Amino acid sequence: SVEKEAPGGGADGDDSLYPIAVLIDELRNEDVQLRLNSIKKLSTIALALGVERTRTELLPFLTDTIYDEDEVLLALAEQLGNFTMLVGGPEYVHCLLPPLESLATVEETVVRDKAVESLRKISQEHSPVDLEVHFEPLVKRLASGDWFTSRTSACGLFSVCYPRVSSTVKAEIRQHFRTLCSDDTPMVRRAAASKLGEFAKVLELDYVKSDIISLFTALASDEQDSVRLLAVEACVSIATLLPQEDLETLVMPTLRQAAEDKSWRVRYMVADKFSELQKAVGPEITKNDLVPAFQNLLKDCEAEVRAAAANKVKEFCENLPEDSRETIIMTHILPCVKELVSDTNQHVKSALASVIMGLSTILGKDNTVEHLLPLFLAQLKDECPEVRLNIISNLDCVNEVIGIRQLSQSLLPAIVELAEDAKWRVRLAIIEYMPLLAGQLGVEFFDEKLNTLCMAWLIDHVYAIREAATCNLMKLVEKFGAEWAQNTIVPKVLGMANDPNYLHRMTTLFCINSLSEACGQEITTKQMLPVVLKMSNDQVANVRFNVAKSLQKIGPVLDSSALQTEVKPVLEKLATDTDMDVKYFAQEAISVLALA
Amino acid sequence: MWYLNTSKTKELIVNDRKWREHAHIESKCCSRAMSSAATTPPSVDKVDGFSRKSVRKAKQKRSQSSSQFRSQGKPIELTPLPLLKDVPAPEQPELFLKKLQQCCTVFDFMDTLSDLKMKEYKRSTLNELVDYVTVSRGYLTEQAYPEVVKMVSYNIFRTLPPSDSNEFDPEEDEPTLEASWPHLQLVYEFFIRFLESQEFQPSIAKKYIDQKFVLQLLELFDSEDPRERDYLKTVLHRIYGKFLGLRAFIRKQINNIFLRFVYETEHFNGVAELLEILGSIINGFALPLKAEHKQFLVKVLIPLHTVRSLSLFHAQLAYCIVQFLEKDPALTEPVIRGLLKFWPKTCSQKEVMYLGELEEILDVIEPTQFVKIQEPLFKQISRCVSSPHFQVAERALYYWNNEYIMSLIEENSSVILPIMFASLYRISKEHWNPAIVALVYNVLKAFMEMNSTLFDELTATYKSDRQREKKKEKEREELWKKLEDLELKRGLRSDGIIPT
């Protein structure tokens, strides 16, 4: 039928230009990919049809034919969220509800979630009247659907309509939410639990106390741990909403229970949300309840939980009330931290290593030297490279408090060991910290201890390491200046130009590429350029075309006479090379440098 | 700490290297590491603990235990009881209860050195109990039921520990075994014997083996230890058989586990085992099938095909599907349409599995059902036949070796041949794999013999059909180009209308 009803009339912008059949044929194409493409351009189709026909013809078609591949449905659900203007503005936005309602009931989670997202979006474009006449009934239908999918979707829609409806409808909405919280399908209870906090936020405080708390308590003691752990998330929002005096009776019993739940997943969630919880319940409850709870989590029997808690050590300590912070840390937290330093699980140790340095700012110089420094040193010697890396990457915190000199003697062996680690990713990681370390340790220490390492990486057998080493040199030069480069690095780099290994000779070129700008015109012209030019006679073609590339790269740093008298002849010669790649790059350089 | 008091760095590095080599060797022969502590350099003391750690790590890799041991208290003491056979019969039920109570004590098996004697005592007691429930008569007093269920619950119900590696690949990685298996196995063994015992009365037991019990039992199917899942399978099967009141509940909870597996986590170790049980449950469904069962087929079993780890339970799943179709052939159409909807787009391995399952379905299909789905079905088969992955193409072409399928194709050749022709014709000229080309020639030959008039017709119009397709394609492109021009114009005219 497509051929017969060819689009007529040209694209003059008329509303009824295209017969809907042609467009719908596109949406029905047998090839999924083409169907998907058409759906993704649904707005174009709607535009071609005009607002009225989009409402009366396109949307009914879409509503009726929702049985397609999930990918197509996903695209449709997304499109419809942006369709308000295409159906004629907020006045008509409710026309979008029927197709989105169907999409909100499909099995595939991503489609459903997207439909809910779009529904939430267009709910804002409904007038209060339309919200009650069209939107809220939809929510009710979904909430009492037969199959769990529609009830799951309903959970995400209560909070967007609640604030804008009458009090009778509000009561209905609260009733529906209550029903879903005790649904006999765990999928629905999970959905309800995950929206509990969001829903609590739009409720009046009295209802938070009367309704939400009982739902929260029930969900937090659900038979399925996957539901209970979601209640922990809600706990943060709920605690934030309640006045301090109500927290103890309404929230704390449940939170205490969650922190000691028999399922490690729930305890993990508590550990993971610990900082948020701490802020939500305030300093007094933190002192009395959360400190012992945190200690238990740090000593938990599951490594997952310990690691999650270890991650929060710094934040937890930072947020402790100032008057008792130091005492709490020294007497309650630090003993647990000390044990974690020699934990059996490397994830726990590395989680701790990523935050432990932050404690020094909180505890001050003396405590750091006496209590934390031994821990840092122990972690610097840990068998797991990630632990050592995490310590090294956070040196700046300690540097501020006690100065890095305290650590430098121990740092060195740790750095050397990481620098020679058998895994190239570990070597790569330590290279990336070099500029930072150099800045903190100072030029003297660097020249004495670390310079050799930096040069050794240039001849690593892994390209990624050589590349990173090159980049590292550039950053060092930026830090220590051109004069330092001239004395320490440049001679060594240029020396490699005579290496029998062509990979090393190329490394010289790569270094020059990244160093020339930082080193400036004089060093580039006088020291680097002659070496590059000489290498244009290299036997290996790869070296020769890299010469061409290098010349293109350093050209802007050189003055015009050097370019004309030295660079140009060499490039011209390379442009007649027997190797086609050499020719290509030489010609490219000539044209970029405008030497033709 | 050994390098703290010195400033001769170069020497240190050398030292450091030596030390590492030493540690390395030590970690290789960790069993001797403890005793060789004296030979390590004096500067490396206990602080490092290098060798000890590696010992522990190696062990953790192989086994794990539940997360119920929150703090190790004092050693456990159980007062040894006399053997059941050594006391007079009237006293046995009482002693049986006492032994059940003792076996409620749970030991920490991650700590291989603690409570050795008591662990052995519990093991032998459990063994005794297993024998006792198998051979004795008259032991099952009404008081025994709650104690048996309590003992079993105390031992088997536990929060399963986190998986050792985040990316556990059941096909590649070795499963982590349950450390407490020496006791756990006997508890399961005992429980099965108890359920199978001639004296066992479901009417009494149902007070204790209730929905909550079943729910916890089902959660254990996520255990990584295949031995445990195997026992669980038997236990659940027995419970399903003996407790009629729990059947609907069990099916519903399995439903929930599967739906969560498909749509939320994609992780559950016991899917194959649960499907195996379902296979025999479906077998026993009465006809006509209830709506609930049909919904289970369409909304749960079919979507299970979408899961990444399909290969781990595909055989059991396909068995369930075929069971359903043998019960009620009218379900064939929704099943095949479901499979076509979820047909893998990028995973050739899964595609081969789908094709295998489809052949199993076609083996039992009724000709009237076949006619209903032949068009969409052969459109898919035609795509598979032209797959650049030769295993997919080959698997699809093997259908033509199946006599029953061949007879169905022959009866409907006027519909199927036009669908298949273009793909077959093109592959016979283009496919990179000679084996596929040879197979395609056979299929083309078969079609030619089936319906030579139609075959000749299709051969003759092949070229013009392709040209028509190309023309259509061009018209599509033009249509969209015009539509886009329109969008641009409109977009310019009124701001904000066009969502980007």
Side-chain angles (χ1 to χ4, degrees):
Chain A
S1 65
V2 181
E3 297 108 282
K4 283 171 206 153
E5 297 173 83
D12 301 329
D14 236 61
D15 273 356
S16 51
L17 259 178
Y18 298 96
I20 182 139
V22 179
L23 302 173
I24 282 177
D25 254 16
E26 282 300 292
L27 294 172
R28 273 194 188 134
N29 200 305
E30 212 172 274
D31 185 330
V32 194
Q33 192 55 50
L34 294 179
R35 223 154 59 223
L36 185 61
N37 291 346
S38 312
I39 280 284
K40 283 184 174 161
K41 293 179 195 157
L42 196 62
S43 58
T44 312
I45 292 180
L47 201 64
L49 288 172
V51 291
E52 197 176 327
R53 299 187 64 203
T54 299
R55 287 199 302 268
T56 55
E57 294 174 50
L58 181 62
L59 287 176
F61 162 76
L62 291 172
T63 315
D64 290 343
T65 53
I66 290 179
Y67 177 84
D68 204 332
E69 306 248 349
D70 291 326
E71 225 174 321
V72 177
L73 297 184
L74 175 68
L76 178 59
E78 187 171 9
Q79 290 277 317
L80 291 179
N82 299 319
F83 243 56
T84 310
M85 295 313 280
L86 291 164
V87 292
E91 201 183 328
Y92 296 99
V93 65
H94 59 85
C95 299
L96 297 172
L97 296 180
L100 282 171
E101 182 175 352
S102 309
L103 289 168
T105 63
V106 302
E107 259 79 26
E108 179 50 55
T109 326
V110 285
V111 176
R112 221 163 54 221
D113 288 350
K114 192 52 92 181
V116 170
E117 196 185 311
S118 290
L119 280 170
R120 286 169 71 111
K121 206 164 169 184
I122 64 169
S123 74
Q124 304 307 319
E125 284 150 356
H126 281 69
S127 69
V129 175
D130 280 349
L131 205 61
E132 281 195 24
V133 176
H134 298 288
F135 197 88
E136 205 270 340
L138 171 147
V139 179
K140 266 195 262 178
R141 277 195 301 277
L142 288 176
S144 42
D146 281 341
W147 190 239
F148 80 95
T149 51
S150 73
R151 303 200 297 277
T152 310
S153 295
C155 293
L157 298 173
F158 294 119
S159 65
V160 289
C161 47
Y162 189 86
R164 295 171 61 214
V165 292
S166 68
S167 56
T168 2
V169 180
K170 279 185 175 177
E172 282 175 32
I173 292 180
R174 290 196 303 273
Q175 180 53 44
H176 278 295
F177 191 79
R178 214 175 301 142
T179 314
L180 294 183
C181 283
S182 53
D183 198 282
D184 68 343
T185 318
M187 282 78 76
V188 177
R189 293 202 303 279
R190 276 196 287 278
S194 68
K195 301 293 176 192
L196 182 65
E198 175 189 293
F199 189 55
K201 281 184 193 161
V202 297
L203 246 60
E204 297 81 356
L205 184 59
D206 281 347
Y207 290 123
V208 173
K209 287 188 199 172
S210 60
D211 284 30
I212 295 290
I213 295 297
S214 64
L215 297 176
F216 166 62
T217 318
L219 290 170
S221 41
D222 196 277
E223 63 199 6
Q224 305 247 339
D225 61 359
S226 52
V227 178
R228 295 201 298 276
L229 64 87
L230 292 167
V232 175
E233 265 188 298
C235 185
V236 177
S237 320
I238 295 172
T240 321
L241 295 170
L242 293 173
Q244 188 71 32
E245 65 268 21
D246 288 331
L247 286 176
E248 181 53 51
T249 49
L250 298 181
V251 174
M252 286 316 290
T254 308
L255 180 55
R256 275 186 215 115
Q257 177 195 318
E260 290 181 351
D261 198 283
K262 67 180 195 305
S263 163
W264 61 269
R265 290 184 188 86
V266 178
R267 300 197 303 276
Y268 171 88
M269 200 57 156
V270 174
D272 195 49
K273 299 274 163 222
F274 216 83
S275 307
E276 287 97 322
L277 288 167
Q278 183 187 9
K279 279 178 204 151
V281 298
E284 274 313 302
I285 294 180
T286 298
K287 261 193 266 182
N288 300 331
D289 279 284
L290 293 195
V291 171
F294 194 58
Q295 282 176 291
N296 283 336
L297 293 171
L298 288 173
K299 288 189 234 162
D300 198 277
C301 58
E302 286 303 341
E304 257 76 2
V305 180
R306 290 199 303 279
N311 256 322
K312 303 287 165 188
V313 163
K314 182 194 156 200
E315 250 181 289
F316 179 73
C317 294
E318 252 171 5
N319 296 329
L320 285 169
E322 215 160 318
D323 54 351
S324 49
R325 186 190 289 157
E326 192 174 322
T327 334
I328 293 176
I329 298 176
M330 296 305 293
T331 50
H332 299 294
I333 306 299
L334 204 59
C336 302
V337 169
K338 276 183 185 156
E339 274 177 47
L340 290 184
V341 167
S342 48
D343 199 278
T344 47
N345 184 293
Q346 66 174 54
H347 299 290
V348 176
K349 287 186 291 184
S350 93
L352 182 69
S354 64
V355 298
I356 190 174
M357 311 289 269
L359 289 180
S360 45
T361 10
I362 306 172
L363 285 177
K365 188 171 176 183
D366 294 341
N367 281 327
T368 302
V369 173
E370 193 182 338
H371 299 285
L372 293 178
L373 196 58
L375 304 181
F376 301 158
L377 295 175
Q379 294 216 298
L380 270 179
K381 287 194 289 175
D382 199 277
E383 58 170 342
C384 164
E386 206 183 320
V387 175
R388 285 173 265 151
L389 275 174
N390 281 349
I391 290 290
I392 291 175
S393 61
N394 286 299
L395 282 174
D396 45 342
C397 321
V398 188
N399 201 8
E400 287 162 22
V401 181
I402 57 170
I404 210 155
R405 286 281 160 185
Q406 295 263 18
L407 271 175
S408 56
Q409 287 301 328
S410 319
L411 267 179
L412 199 64
I415 293 171
V416 171
E417 201 173 322
L418 289 169
E420 291 167 356
D421 197 283
K423 294 197 182 73
W424 68 266
R425 280 173 210 280
V426 175
R427 300 202 295 278
L428 186 64
I430 189 72
I431 293 176
E432 277 160 9
Y433 294 123
M434 268 299 147
L436 185 80
L437 281 171
Q440 283 162 355
L441 293 165
V443 66
E444 207 175 299
F445 187 91
F446 183 87
D447 281 346
E448 196 181 328
K449 319 273 159 98
L450 298 179
N451 197 9
T452 342
L453 280 181
C454 290
M455 299 318 283
W457 282 319
L458 288 175
I459 52 170
D460 197 283
H461 61 275
V462 176
Y463 176 75
I465 299 296
R466 297 198 298 274
E467 193 188 24
T470 315
C471 180
N472 172 44
L473 287 187
M474 179 183 74
K475 288 183 186 154
L476 289 173
V477 174
E478 282 167 3
K479 210 155 227 138
F480 293 148
E483 196 184 328
W484 174 81
Q486 191 173 9
N487 295 330
T488 48
I489 298 187
V490 174
K492 289 185 193 168
V493 166
L494 296 182
M496 281 165 58
N498 301 318
D499 198 287
N501 185 335
Y502 85 99
L503 291 172
H504 297 174
R505 298 202 294 279
M506 292 214 299
T507 305
T508 299
L509 292 171
F510 298 146
C511 286
I512 289 172
N513 291 348
S514 55
L515 289 177
S516 62
E517 203 172 321
C519 286
Q521 197 183 61
E522 196 182 324
I523 299 177
T524 306
T525 316
K526 290 206 175 134
Q527 299 187 20
M528 295 177 177
L529 184 61
V531 176
V532 178
L533 295 174
K534 200 176 145 211
M535 288 169 88
S536 67
N537 298 318
D538 202 287
Q539 284 178 321
V540 179
N542 296 45
V543 177
R544 293 200 302 280
F545 77 64
N546 272 298
V547 166
K549 279 171 148 183
S550 286
L551 289 173
Q552 179 184 332
K553 186 100 198 189
I554 66 174
V557 186
L558 304 170
D559 65 23
S560 61
S561 77
L563 276 176
Q564 289 298 334
T565 56
E566 298 184 69
V567 175
K568 192 178 172 186
V570 170
L571 280 177
E572 276 167 352
K573 194 180 131 217
L574 287 175
T576 60
D577 200 281
T578 49
D579 185 279
M580 59 184 270
D581 291 318
V582 178
K583 260 192 231 175
Y584 172 82
F585 286 110
Q587 275 154 3
E588 191 183 67
I590 289 171
S591 83
V592 169
L593 296 173
L595 294 174
Chain B
M1 316 278 177
W2 50 276
Y3 37 70
L4 269 183
N5 308 322
T6 171
S7 57
K8 287 185 228 156
T9 326
K10 271 189 187 155
E11 230 179 84
L12 280 177
I13 295 172
V14 177
N15 255 342
D16 184 36
R17 279 206 193 113
K18 272 190 195 153
W19 168 75
R20 273 189 298 121
E21 274 161 25
H22 191 95
H24 183 65
I25 294 161
E26 224 181 32
S27 70
K28 271 188 184 163
C29 44
C30 45
S31 56
R32 270 181 292 147
M34 304 283 213
S35 56
S36 70
T39 63
T40 53
S43 44
V44 187
D45 58 12
K46 290 177 227 137
V47 181
D48 179 67
F50 198 100
S51 50
R52 275 181 293 129
K53 263 174 216 156
S54 55
V55 174
R56 221 171 288 154
K57 222 170 115 192
K59 191 161 292 156
Q60 271 183 341
K61 272 218 169 109
R62 267 178 271 116
S63 66
Q64 63 184 9
S65 190
S66 71
S67 59
Q68 58 194 331
F69 303 101
R70 306 223 44 190
S71 56
Q72 262 68 62
K74 23 187 175 356
I76 296 164
E77 273 304 326
L78 297 175
T79 323
L81 295 169
L83 292 179
L84 281 158
K85 66 175 165 56
D86 292 346
V87 302
E91 289 171 31
Q92 283 184 5
E94 174 87 31
L95 184 59
F96 178 62
L97 292 186
K98 278 191 181 156
K99 293 204 173 221
L100 284 172
Q101 279 153 9
Q102 277 197 332
C103 289
C104 287
T105 313
V106 180
F107 292 89
D108 180 4
F109 273 82
M110 287 313 283
D111 187 347
T112 44
L113 298 173
S114 70
D115 304 312
L116 281 179
K117 224 170 140 190
M118 286 299 121
K119 279 178 187 162
E120 175 52 28
Y121 171 70
K122 180 175 170 184
R123 200 191 60 78
S124 63
T125 306
L126 282 169
N127 256 325
E128 192 195 0
L129 290 176
V130 171
D131 291 343
Y132 187 69
V133 292
T134 319
V135 299
S136 303
R137 294 286 170 266
Y139 72 96
L140 256 184
T141 60
E142 213 167 320
Q143 296 95 304
Y145 284 88
E147 294 302 324
V148 168
V149 175
K150 188 174 141 200
M151 189 278 275
V152 171
S153 307
Y154 271 53
N155 279 280
I156 66 172
F157 294 152
R158 61 209 194 278
T159 308
L160 295 171
S163 186
D164 215 17
S165 55
N166 289 337
E167 287 290 306
F168 177 70
D169 178 353
E171 281 190 308
E172 296 279 325
D173 302 339
E174 285 284 305
T176 315
L177 299 181
E178 174 58 45
S180 62
W181 192 242
H183 286 173
L184 209 52
Q185 177 179 20
L186 293 171
V187 174
Y188 277 118
E189 194 68 49
F190 167 78
F191 192 42
I192 290 168
R193 304 281 175 100
F194 165 77
L195 290 169
E196 288 174 348
S197 156
Q198 286 180 344
E199 296 188 7
F200 178 76
Q201 291 180 14
S203 55
I204 304 175
K206 72 179 182 193
K207 273 184 268 178
Y208 312 105
I209 297 179
D210 53 5
Q211 296 194 345
K212 192 166 182 242
F213 184 92
V214 168
L215 203 59
Q216 286 173 286
L217 197 69
L218 283 168
E219 275 173 23
L220 290 176
F221 275 83
D222 194 21
S223 168
E224 257 185 55
D225 193 330
R227 302 170 302 182
E228 178 168 23
R229 296 202 303 271
D230 209 48
Y231 271 104
L232 283 165
K233 195 170 69 188
T234 315
V235 169
L236 187 65
H237 210 159
R238 296 289 170 273
I239 292 179
Y240 191 88
K242 291 188 192 271
F243 297 85
L244 303 185
L246 286 172
R247 288 186 175 180
F249 180 78
I250 292 175
R251 288 197 306 268
K252 198 164 141 203
Q253 294 309 323
I254 294 181
N255 251 349
N256 287 343
I257 290 177
F258 284 170
L259 288 169
R260 182 171 184 217
F261 172 64
V262 174
Y263 294 116
E264 294 183 12
T265 59
E266 288 221 357
H267 175 89
F268 193 84
N269 290 311
V271 176
E273 283 81 2
L274 290 176
L275 283 169
E276 218 171 297
I277 297 169
L278 280 168
S280 57
I281 291 178
I282 295 164
N283 217 336
F285 281 162
L287 287 172
L289 290 176
K290 287 190 206 161
E292 173 213 331
H293 300 325
K294 290 184 191 171
Q295 189 181 50
F296 172 66
L297 170 69
V298 176
K299 297 223 171 188
V300 183
L301 288 185
I302 299 290
L304 266 177
H305 287 84
T306 59
V307 174
R308 202 173 33 165
S309 55
L310 177 67
S311 64
L312 295 174
F313 54 84
H314 182 248
Q316 290 84 348
L317 179 58
Y319 177 80
C320 286
I321 301 273
V322 173
Q323 287 289 306
F324 260 113
L325 299 187
E326 290 200 285
K327 286 259 162 193
D328 183 358
L331 293 168
T332 312
E333 188 182 348
V335 165
I336 292 185
R337 284 195 187 275
L339 287 178
L340 293 177
K341 179 180 172 189
F342 293 132
W343 202 271
K345 303 276 186 302
T346 53
C347 181
S348 313
Q349 195 203 357
K350 264 172 86 174
E351 235 180 319
V352 173
M353 283 188 260
Y354 272 54
L355 284 165
E357 183 173 345
L358 213 46
E359 184 165 1
E360 281 181 52
I361 293 172
L362 290 175
D363 270 333
V364 300
I365 200 169
E366 288 185 358
T368 47
Q369 297 296 326
F370 180 82
V371 176
K372 287 187 195 163
I373 44 82
Q374 57 181 351
E375 277 190 56
L377 176 63
F378 277 86
K379 277 177 186 165
Q380 182 57 55
I381 293 176
S382 142
R383 277 194 286 273
C384 291
V385 160
S386 39
S387 167
H389 196 299
F390 82 97
Q391 283 175 340
V392 174
E394 187 181 62
R395 187 67 193 83
L397 288 164
Y398 279 165
Y399 281 14
W400 274 262
N401 295 340
N402 182 315
E403 275 179 35
Y404 182 59
I405 298 179
M406 266 305 264
S407 71
L408 291 168
I409 295 177
E410 189 158 7
E411 272 169 48
N412 301 285
S413 63
S414 58
V415 180
I416 295 172
L417 181 50
I419 299 174
M420 295 296 299
F421 185 80
S423 298
L424 292 172
Y425 190 86
R426 193 165 44 76
I427 308 159
S428 69
K429 305 233 178 297
E430 285 174 11
H431 204 281
W432 62 272
N433 185 306
I436 296 297
V437 174
L439 281 172
V440 164
Y441 270 120
N442 286 339
V443 171
L444 281 171
K445 204 168 135 236
F447 271 128
M448 201 154 59
E449 284 161 10
M450 263 177 222
N451 194 338
S452 58
T453 343
L454 181 58
F455 191 90
D456 291 344
E457 226 170 85
L458 289 167
T459 321
T461 54
Y462 179 81
K463 263 198 182 141
S464 57
D465 282 350
R466 297 293 82 72
Q467 273 166 355
R468 217 177 45 236
E469 270 173 26
K470 269 189 192 151
K471 196 176 155 232
K472 218 167 140 183
E473 177 61 26
K474 221 176 155 195
E475 281 170 1
R476 277 195 67 255
E477 272 173 30
E478 276 166 20
L479 167 68
W480 278 105
K481 209 167 163 285
K482 281 182 187 164
L483 284 174
E484 268 153 32
D485 289 347
L486 176 72
E487 185 175 11
L488 278 179
K489 273 189 198 162
R490 297 272 177 100
L492 287 177
R493 268 215 310 253
S494 43
D495 296 344
I497 281 193
I498 316 298
T500 46

